[in-house]
Amino acid sequence: MTTKWMGEHITNMRVQRGFSREQLAARAGWSGKSLVGHLEAAVRLFNTDHVAALLPALGRSEHVAHYQRLVTEAAAKGEWWRELLPKEKDTRKRLRGLELFLSFEASAITIRHYASYAVPELLRTPPYTDAVLRATEPSWAELRCALQPGRQAILGGTEPTEIQVVLDEHVLRRVAGGAEVMRAQLAHLAEHAVRPNVTLQILPTEAGIPAAEGGFSLMDMPAELDGHPGAACLESAVDWLCYERPDELRQFRRYWERLREQALPPERTPELLQRAARELVA
């Protein structure tokens, strides 16, 4: 996320100053415009030397230390998914939406997720993940399974990401991979539901039609990314869609608040998970 945010900020500053990419490159002491273009498009990762050259060239020397710290912190965390994604150019282009989604997810301080058809991937067991993906996305199942451990790592560590989930009750009844796999998945949810950074609410069937038609993730970015409004992401049949405009995010936040009002309080979640496990047919 830092790479994308930095690229957008450099682009905005360059446009405000009326510089072309060639002009900015020349002011930074670089030959040609390609490096500026790659950094602005988030194709190439920023490093501290890039920041030290670009910010003074844009008349923003006072921001060098702040941006260098962001770049250093981002490098320490690493965009680990880049090594797992296919290297073939056309395939990588098709997965650009997924890569953007992973970047948002890794950077978020809070994730609010409405799960309408299956347990969200951040809270899945590997067998459940395998069963769901082989039913819905067999061509990408191996890749998505490989990505899961790195994605789920954000829920642990010394500064875990906060995640709030509204889970449609139908998800508890929809068996994936057989009764034993589903029973283990329900137990996994129960274990996570008591963690301090996890809030899990069930949207009961009797609540009627959900306030949102399909699942989505709503993510808040850290304050260090000055002015970033956050992102709302969802997976379509052909791509991962990410929304960043303030008006779009306001609509998703309205959906989220209405879903939370429809859902049962978190204190009821253990009881409902236990009931669903008992009702599984062996």
Side-chain angles (χ1 to χ4, degrees):
M1 185 61 242
T2 299
T3 299
K4 180 177 181 294
W5 180 85
M6 284 282 293
E8 291 172 348
H9 269 53
I10 294 298
T11 302
N12 291 338
M13 286 188 278
R14 176 178 61 77
V15 171
Q16 288 172 5
R17 293 297 303 272
F19 297 153
S20 67
R21 287 176 175 171
E22 292 93 338
Q23 289 171 323
L24 178 55
R27 290 175 66 89
W30 300 340
S31 59
K33 65 177 182 178
S34 60
L35 179 54
V36 173
H38 289 163
L39 291 170
E40 288 188 349
V43 173
R44 183 163 175 177
L45 300 178
F46 279 84
N47 61 38
T48 55
D49 290 338
H50 297 147
V51 172
L54 286 173
L55 270 293
L58 290 163
R60 299 294 179 85
S61 298
E62 70 276 12
H63 295 311
V64 169
H66 174 60
Y67 281 25
Q68 284 184 326
R69 188 179 75 253
L70 291 179
V71 166
T72 301
E73 291 173 353
K77 183 180 291 186
E79 295 186 343
W80 53 268
W81 56 86
R82 287 177 178 252
E83 296 303 314
L84 295 176
L85 294 178
K87 301 299 185 289
E88 198 272 324
K89 188 174 182 180
D90 288 341
T91 304
R92 192 66 173 258
K93 187 180 296 185
R94 289 170 55 200
L95 293 174
R96 183 61 178 158
L98 171 60
E99 192 166 359
L100 180 58
F101 168 73
L102 293 172
S103 180
F104 280 127
E105 185 180 74
S107 300
I109 56 172
T110 303
I111 298 174
R112 302 174 181 89
H113 186 89
Y114 170 49
S116 60
Y117 84 98
V119 174
E121 289 183 81
L122 291 177
L123 297 177
R124 290 180 187 175
T125 64
Y128 180 93
T129 296
D130 185 71
V132 170
L133 293 176
R134 293 198 182 282
T136 60
E137 279 193 298
S139 60
W140 297 115
E142 185 176 347
L143 172 61
R144 297 283 288 272
C145 287
L147 290 169
Q148 184 167 288
R151 294 179 59 196
Q152 293 181 343
I154 65 172
L155 300 183
T158 57
E159 296 183 11
T161 303
E162 179 186 358
I163 180 172
Q164 302 171 13
V165 176
V166 171
L167 189 69
D168 196 292
E169 185 177 7
H170 289 296
V171 173
L172 305 182
R173 316 292 176 186
R174 188 173 293 121
V175 177
E180 286 306 310
V181 168
M182 195 66 199
R183 192 171 285 112
Q185 176 61 68
L186 293 172
H188 187 72
L189 285 175
E191 292 172 4
H192 278 71
V194 299
R195 295 175 61 172
N197 62 311
V198 178
T199 302
L200 179 58
Q201 293 178 256
I202 307 301
L203 181 62
T205 304
E206 58 264 27
I209 300 297
E213 292 186 37
F216 62 88
S217 292
L218 184 59
M219 308 182 198
D220 293 337
M221 296 299 118
E224 288 80 6
L225 300 183
D226 303 320
H228 197 290
C233 301
L234 57 90
E235 183 179 347
S236 74
V238 296
D239 203 357
W240 290 262
L241 307 176
C242 297
Y243 302 88
E244 299 177 70
R245 291 205 330 250
D247 60 320
E248 296 169 334
L249 295 177
R250 281 194 294 273
Q251 183 60 56
F252 278 101
R253 290 190 178 103
R254 283 193 288 269
Y255 288 149
W256 175 255
E257 292 306 321
R258 288 160 56 193
L259 287 165
R260 288 196 67 186
E261 291 171 0
Q262 289 182 299
L264 296 171
E267 303 80 56
R268 295 285 308 279
T269 297
E271 164 201 341
L272 294 170
L273 293 174
Q274 292 168 10
R275 183 193 306 167
R278 287 196 303 269
E279 294 174 358
L280 278 170
V281 177

